[in-house]
Amino acid sequence: MDTFLQQLANGLTIGSMYALVALGYTMVYGVMRLINFAHGDMVAASAFVGLTIYTQVLGQAVSLGAVIAIFLLSAVVMAAVGVILERIAYRPLREAPRLSAVVSALGASLVIQNGIMLIWGPQMRIFPELVPQVYWDFGGVVISLIQVIILVLSLVLMVALYLFVEKTRMGAAIRASSIDQDAARLMGINVNSVIALIFIIGSSLGAVGGLFIGLYYRGITFNMGWQYGLYAFVAAIIGGIGNIPGAMLGGMLLGLFNAFISGYVSSTWSDAFTFILLIIILIVRPTGILGERVAEKV
Amino acid sequence: MKRCTRTILAATVAVLLAVPAFAAETLKVGVQAPITGSYANEGQGIENGVRLLAEQINAKGGVMGRQIEVITCDDQGTAMAAAICAKDLVNKGVSMVIGSYTSTCAQAAQKTYFDAKVLQTSDGTADGLTEHGYWTFLRNSFPNSAEAEFAANYMVNVKKYKRIVVLSDFSTYADGLANATEAAIKKLGGNVVSRDKIKADSQNFTPVLTNMKSKNPDAIFFAGYYSDGGQLRAQQLALGIKADFIGGDANDNPDFVKLAGSAAEGAFILNVPSPDVLPYAVAKTFIADYQKKYGIMPASIWGLMNIDGMRAIIHGMEQTKSFDTKKVSDYLHNLSEPLPGITGPIAFAKDGNRKGGAYVVKKIQADGTYSNEYVQ
C-alpha cells in the first residue's frame, strides 16, 4: 500500500507538470487548429531563462522573494517570446494550408532548441537548490516540499485559467474564436489579440512548467524540450485537444499512468505503454476523453 | 544561361573545396567525443586536452617533422552518431582517434577503425571492447571487471552490507559494470536483493526507487553516468531511502555534486585516483598547463586517460620511427617498460587492455569535496 500511495504522489507531481505544458498545446490548437511543436522547446528555454535571471539579475540570492521573482520574470520573458514567435512563424501562414504552419512550427522548434544551445551551451546546466529539501513522512509515504509546491501551484493556475476562460469577457472571446474565427471577427472580436493572448497565457504556463522541471530535477539540457513537449502533446490528445479541462485531466492521467507502469510493470517500457495508451484512446475515443465530436473543418 | 553559369560556378567551388590545400603533410589526429549532449562536459574535456597536447608537440616541431592536425567529430554520446563519426574521420585520413568517452560510442566505431587500420584509444571500460581482438584498439582506462571486483569486495567485505541493490542504465558500459559487479558480489557470498535498470536522461527515477524502497536495501550500487547519478541520489533521499549510495566511476564528475545538491553529502564514489591527487610529475605540469590555457581543471580523470592514450601512440610512432599503425600497435602491445603517464604508468596487455591500476572509494563531504575513504 505504501508503494502504491508513493507512486500516486509521484505520478501527480509529474502529471501536473505535463498538464501545465499541455495547456499551451491545447489552447493554441483550440483557436488556431495548429499543433505548436515549438512549445516544448519554449518550456526548455524558460528553465534556462529562469536560471539566468537567478544568476545574473538576482545575484544568486536564495529567498522566497527570489523564487517568486524568477517565476514572474521568466513568465514575462517567455510570454514576450511566445508573442514574437507567433508573429514571425505563424501569423504570416494563417491563411496558408495547415501543413505549412506545422512545418513552420517544427522549424521554430529547431531554431529555439539550437538558440538555447548557442546561448547556454550544449552541456547540462544545473539549477541551484532553491527549495529547501524538506520531507514529510506519512507512515512510509514521503512527500517533499517541492512536490507540494508543484501540485498546489499547478492546481491554482489551472483553476484560475479555467475560470478566466469560462467567466470573463476575454475568455468568451477566446471561446468564440475557437468555434469560428470569421464569425468571431464579425462580432467585433479582434482575433489577432485573442491569438496573442493565447500565446501569452500558454507560454507563461509553459514557463512555470519549465521552472518546475528545473527546480524538481535540477539538471536541464538544451534538448529536453522535445521529451516534455511530446508527453504534453500526448496528454493534450488524451484529454481531448482543444479542451482546457481535458488537458489538465490528460496531464494528470499521463503522469499517474507513467508512474504506475514504471513502478509495477517496467520502467524500460513506460514510453511504449504511453503510446499504446494513446493509440487505444485514439481508437476508442478519437476526440479524447473530454473532447466533443465536431464536424471536421477542411 | 544564367542557371547554367551558376551550376558551373557551384561545381567549381565544390571541386576546389574537395581538393585539400597542398601544405606540408600533417599528422591527422581525430577526436571522437560527445561535444554536445548529456556528457558534453567530458567530451569537451577530451577535445581540450587533445588540442593542448597537440599544441605542445607542434611547438616542439611536431611528430618526426609532421605537425599535428586535430579533427573533431561530435558523437553526442549516441551509437548512431558514433558510427557516422567513425566513417567521417576515416574518410578525412586520420591515423589515430582519441575517444570516445562512452563505451557504447567506442564500440559502435571500433570496427570501422579496425577495417581502416586507424588506431583508437578510448577510456570506455566495458569488457567487451577488448574482446573482439582488434589490434587497433588500445584501452587507456581499466576494464569494468577490475572495478567490479574492487566494488564487490568493498561492499561485501569492508562495509559488510547485507542487502545490496545493483542499478544501471542500458548503456554498454553501465550494464556491463553492473552485471560484473552483481556476479562478483555473489561470488563473495553477498546478497543482491534487486537488479534494476533506469533509462538514462529520463530524470524521473522515482518509480524505480519507490519499488526499491520496499526491498529495504542498505546499499545502492549505481553503475551509470553522473548526469543520472546526481539526480538519483537526490531523489533517493527525497523518498526517504536511507541506503548508502555507491556510484561507479562515471559518477566521478563535479556535476554529480551540483545535481544532488545537499543530498550529495555522504554518497560514495569509486574511481581511480582523481586528477588533483595524481602524484606524477608529468601530471602536475600537464594539469597546470591545462588550467592556464582553459581556466578550469580537467573535467575528470577520463579526459586525462585519453591524453595518455594519445601520448602512448605518439610515443610508439617516435620509437618505431614510423607512421605505420600496425608497427606502432605491435610496439605498444610489447612495451618492455611502462611509459610514465599522467594517470600512472602506461602499458598495454596483448588484448589492448591497460595493465595495472589502483582504485579508491571517495566520500562526498558537506561542502562538496571528496575525502578518500578506502584505497586499494
Side-chain angles (χ1 to χ4, degrees), chain B residues 280-297:
Chain B
Y280 318 103
V282 54
K284 289 200 166 78
T285 50
F286 188 82
I287 290 169
D289 291 346
Y290 190 100
Q291 277 180 301
K292 207 165 124 200
K293 183 163 158 92
Y294 300 109
I296 42 167
M297 270 292 276

Side-chain angles (χ1 to χ4, degrees), chain B residues 28-41:
Chain B
K28 289 181 181 162
V29 174
V31 173
Q32 182 208 317
I35 307 296
T36 62
S38 303
Y39 317 126
N41 180 345

Side-chain angles (χ1 to χ4, degrees), chain A residues 3 6-7 10 14 117 122-124 126-127 129 133 135 140-142 213 216-222 224 227-228 231 258-259 262-264 267-268 270-271, chain B residues 35-38 40-41 44 170 197-199 201-208 210-211 213-214 227 231 234-235 237-240 255 258-263:
Chain A
T3 311
Q6 187 72 61
Q7 301 285 24
N10 300 338
I14 314 295
M117 192 174 86
Q123 67 271 47
M124 175 184 270
I126 294 166
F127 240 74
E129 204 168 86
Q133 307 233 11
Y135 315 108
V141 181
V142 182
I213 294 168
Y216 189 56
Y217 293 125
R218 315 275 311 284
I220 51 176
T221 50
F222 75 96
M224 71 176 190
Q227 191 190 338
Y228 288 97
Y231 275 123
N258 253 336
S262 310
Y264 289 107
S267 63
T268 323
S270 68
D271 276 4
Chain B
I35 307 296
T36 62
S38 303
N41 180 345
Q44 291 168 356
F170 291 87
K197 287 188 191 184
I198 55 154
K199 212 163 65 207
D201 278 345
S202 65
Q203 298 202 322
N204 180 24
F205 304 122
T206 48
V208 175
T210 301
N211 277 1
K213 189 180 179 182
S214 61
S227 46
Q231 299 185 17
Q235 291 174 26
L237 291 194
L239 285 173
D255 280 358
K258 288 192 208 153
L259 274 171
S262 53

